[in-house]
Every structure is written in structure tokens, then in C-alpha cells.
């Protein structure tokens, strides 16, 4: 069994990623840690519990993490996923925050990894605040990580939040910088441009949501608001490769689940720009070797789209 920790800021995209991981037969989710990001921390926690309830998996422990970035001002995704992050489709019977673990997210991450050395893969689809705090608490634990998969950053300075910045990195640039400096385990990054270039046809999305299961009906309901947003002309123009169904967070999760999913990647040293009027939070790729960094990350370029589709289909069965 692959042992995963999911670090999320649960909006609709994280919900899709969580459900994909839950459906994988050879995956054990040790815990889910929540962060500020798409919505407020409390909403992210409530949404995570709600997704687990929809999948009948409230046995998985959920941990409250950081409610704000290390230094900068808060960024939320506005109404992109609805004010509550889950499509503004409230459930009167949703699980309450009393189900959260008493342990905090950063400490839980460290403990899971130390208890399972060399076995745990950490999948981060949120601002990286919890991960940065974890390595500050215990600098040595990252040596025991099997791998780190990140949805965030960009490889061509194309932004989706600022001119040159992707949301997760812009929401906490200092945390992203710390993680890319201090996590020296095998690291795989699904950037904004990568997810755009591997987007799927909207016809597939229709098929995906019409499976006639409780999970597909749940996803269709919570995704309706976001779908209207992403199908606007303005947003579709941002998608680098043209219109399509782009479920960003699931790419990093899918790659962590399926070893053969990524068909093309490149290995390069990276860092994060912390200054600059337009470039703060931008991921910088060091093709010239000027950073003198020994640790390099794998930047995903292409995936097997048929395998990716199947993972999405399985998530809603």
C-alpha cells in the first residue's frame, strides 16, 4: 500500500483530488491536513470532512493547519469555488469541526513521516504553509519522506493570480521558498501551465459527472458554480493551451498514485522569487545552474491522459 498524506485547502479542486486518492485501491491515506487558501481554514476543514462523509470515509483523521501565510497578506480564491469553497451548496447534516484531531497539522505531518520512514508520500495541493512549519519544527524529518508531490508554481512565468504568479505559491511565497529549499526528497511539481496543457475536453467532464452514483451527484452539485466560472470567456483565455476541463489539484495526486502516469518531465533546480512588483511568488527554473543547488525537482510536462481519465472516473464510481 502506498502511504499518503494529503495537504489541502479544500475547495472543489481539492475535493476532486481527495476523492481520487480515496478511490485508489493500493493507497492508504494516513491523514489529511488543512490549510488556508481557496477559502478560510475553518471552511477548508469543514469541506474536507464533508468530502470524507460523501465517500463514507470519516475514519480518516483530519488536522487543522495554518490559517494564514507565514509573512504576507492573506489570499483567498474569492468566489471562484463559491464563498464557502464548495460551490455554496450547504449540507445541513455536514460533519462538524468537533471531528478534527486535537493535534495540529504540521506536527501530524512530522509524526506520520517519522513513524513510517521511507514510506510516506506527501501530496500538497494548497499553499505550502503547513509544510514550511513542519520542517521548521523538525528539520530532519524530510530525509525520511519517500516523495513530495506539489500542485503549484509555474514554469513560464504565466500567472493565474498575479501577472507572474500561480495561486498556491502567491498565497505564501515564503513557505514555497522554504519547502523548495529544505525538502530534499524526490520532489515532483505539477505547475499551472502543465495542468493547462494536459486539460481534458468538456465532453469528458459531462461523462464523468453523469455516472449516476452518489459520488458523481455530489460532485456535480459542488462543481456547478466553479464550472460556470471556468467556462467564462475570460478564464478560458487564461488556460495557456486553450479551452478545456482543467482540474489542477488532481494532476499531482494522480502522479503520486500512479507511477507511470507522467510520460515526460524535466529535472531542474528551482527557487521562488520573494521580491518584485509583478514576480513575487513566481517559481524560477535555473537552467544555467547559477543557483549552485544540488537538489533538483522533477517538473511534470506530459501525462498519459487515458490513465488520468480512468483515475477520475474511478473517483466517482
Amino acid at each position: 500500500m502506498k502511504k499518503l498524506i494529503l495537504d489541502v485547502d479544500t475547495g472543489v479542486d481539492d475535493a476532486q483530488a481527495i476523492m481520487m486518492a480515496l478511490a485508489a485501491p493500493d493507497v492508504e491515506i494516513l491523514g489529511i491536513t488543512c490549510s488556508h487558501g481557496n477559502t478560510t481554514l475553518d471552511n477548508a476543514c469543514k469541506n474536507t470532512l464533508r468530502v470524507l462523509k460523501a465517500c463514507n470515509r470519516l475514519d480518516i483523521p483530519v488536522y487543522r493547519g495554518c490559517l494564514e501565510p507565514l509573512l504576507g497578506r492573506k489570499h483567498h480564491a474569492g468566489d471562484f469555488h463559491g464563498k464557502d469553497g464548495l460551490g455554496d451548496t450547504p449540507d445541513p447534516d455536514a460533519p462538524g469541526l468537533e471531528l478534527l484531531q486535537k493535534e495540529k497539522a504540521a506536527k501530524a505531518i512530522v509524526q506520520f513521516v517519522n513513524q513510517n520512514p521511507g514510506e510516506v508520500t506527501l501530496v500538497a495541493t494548497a499553499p505550502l504553509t503547513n509544510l514550511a512549519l513542519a520542517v521548521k519544527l523538525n528539520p530532519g524529518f524530510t530525509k525520511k519522506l519517500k516523495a513530495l508531490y506539489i500542485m503549484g508554481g509555474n514554469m513560464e512565468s504565466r500567472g493565474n493570480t498575479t501577472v507572474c504568479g500561480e495561486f498556491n505559491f502567491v498565497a505564501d511565497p515564503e513557505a514555497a521558498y522554504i519547502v523548495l529549499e529544505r525538502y530534499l526528497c524526490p520532489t515532483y511539481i505539477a505547475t499551472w501551465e502543465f495542468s493547462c496543457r494536459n486539460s481534458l475536453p468538456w465532453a469528458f467532464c459531462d461523462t464523468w459527472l453523469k455516472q449516476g452514483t452518489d459520488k458523481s451527484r455530489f460532485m456535480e452539485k459542488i462543481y456547478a458554480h466553479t464550472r460556470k466560472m471556468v467556462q467564462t470567456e475570460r478564464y478560458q483565455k487564461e488556460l495557456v493551451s486553450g479551452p478545456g476541463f482543467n482540474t489542477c489539484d488532481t494532476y499531482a495526486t494522480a502522479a503520486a498514485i500512479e507511477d507511470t502516469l507522467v510520460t515526460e518531465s524535466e529535472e531542474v533546480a528551482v527557487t521562488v522569487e520573494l521580491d518584485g512588483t509583478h514576480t513575487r511568488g513566481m517559481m524560477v527554473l535555473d537552467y544555467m545552474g547559477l543557483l549552485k543547488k544540488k537538489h533538483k525537482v522533477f517538473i511534470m510536462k506530459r501525462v498519459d491522459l487515458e490513465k488520468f481519465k480512468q483515475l477520475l472516473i474511478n473517483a466517482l464510481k
Side-chain angles (χ1 to χ4, degrees), residues 227-240:
R227 182 167 183 174
K228 288 180 182 177
M229 296 290 289
V230 300
Q231 287 188 307
T232 62
E233 183 178 357
R234 182 194 66 80
Y235 182 85
Q236 289 292 301
K237 286 180 178 178
E238 293 178 9
L239 286 179
V240 182

Side-chain angles (χ1 to χ4, degrees), residues 10-241:
T10 302
V12 174
D13 47 356
D14 301 84
Q16 293 163 350
I18 292 169
M19 293 176 77
M20 176 183 282
L22 290 172
D26 61 343
V27 165
E28 177 187 3
I29 301 176
L30 299 178
I32 302 178
T33 54
C34 299
S35 169
H36 69 96
N38 276 325
T39 184
T40 65
L41 177 62
D42 275 358
N43 281 345
C45 293
K46 291 175 185 176
N47 294 346
T48 300
L49 292 168
R50 189 174 165 194
V51 172
L52 291 177
K53 179 194 172 189
C55 298
N56 196 27
R57 289 303 309 273
L58 282 170
D59 57 297
I60 295 175
V62 179
Y63 302 84
R64 184 194 300 271
C66 297
L67 57 81
E68 60 187 11
L70 295 179
L71 289 178
R73 64 183 180 87
K74 286 185 183 180
H75 283 267
H76 288 313
D79 293 337
F80 189 78
H81 294 298
K83 289 182 171 61
D84 67 354
L86 219 58
D88 293 328
T89 56
D91 176 3
D93 298 318
L97 293 177
E98 69 276 3
L99 295 184
L100 296 176
Q101 302 298 306
K102 293 182 180 178
E103 203 83 77
K104 297 304 181 185
K107 192 171 182 180
I109 291 171
V110 171
Q111 288 179 340
F112 278 129
V113 175
N114 283 337
Q115 290 166 3
N116 301 274
E119 297 183 61
V120 177
T121 295
L122 179 52
V123 183
T125 58
L128 297 174
T129 317
N130 290 336
L131 277 66
L133 186 56
V135 77
K136 287 291 189 180
L137 289 173
N138 190 322
F141 95 96
T142 62
K143 296 177 182 178
K144 301 175 186 178
L145 262 178
K146 181 179 180 180
L148 169 62
Y149 287 78
I150 296 171
M151 189 283 132
N154 44 16
M155 55 187 173
E156 297 167 2
S157 71
R158 292 174 181 259
N160 63 8
T161 302
T162 60
V163 175
C164 295
E166 177 276 332
F167 176 80
N168 283 341
F169 278 29
V170 168
D172 196 339
E174 281 74 22
Y177 177 88
I178 290 169
V179 169
L180 294 179
E181 289 292 316
R182 303 284 294 277
Y183 281 68
L184 303 182
C185 58
T187 302
Y188 304 82
I189 300 180
T191 67
W192 165 242
E193 298 98 329
F194 155 80
S195 68
C196 292
R197 292 204 173 96
N198 288 271
S199 59
L200 299 170
W202 282 110
F204 169 79
C205 181
D206 293 332
T207 301
W208 179 58
L209 295 173
K210 296 297 183 183
Q211 296 188 60
T213 65
D214 288 342
K215 292 178 185 177
S216 66
R217 284 186 284 269
F218 171 74
M219 181 54 64
E220 185 174 28
K221 179 171 68 174
I222 66 171
Y223 187 52
H225 176 90
T226 306
R227 182 167 183 174
K228 288 180 182 177
M229 296 290 289
V230 300
Q231 287 188 307
T232 62
E233 183 178 357
R234 182 194 66 80
Y235 182 85
Q236 289 292 301
K237 286 180 178 178
E238 293 178 9
L239 286 179
V240 182
S241 57

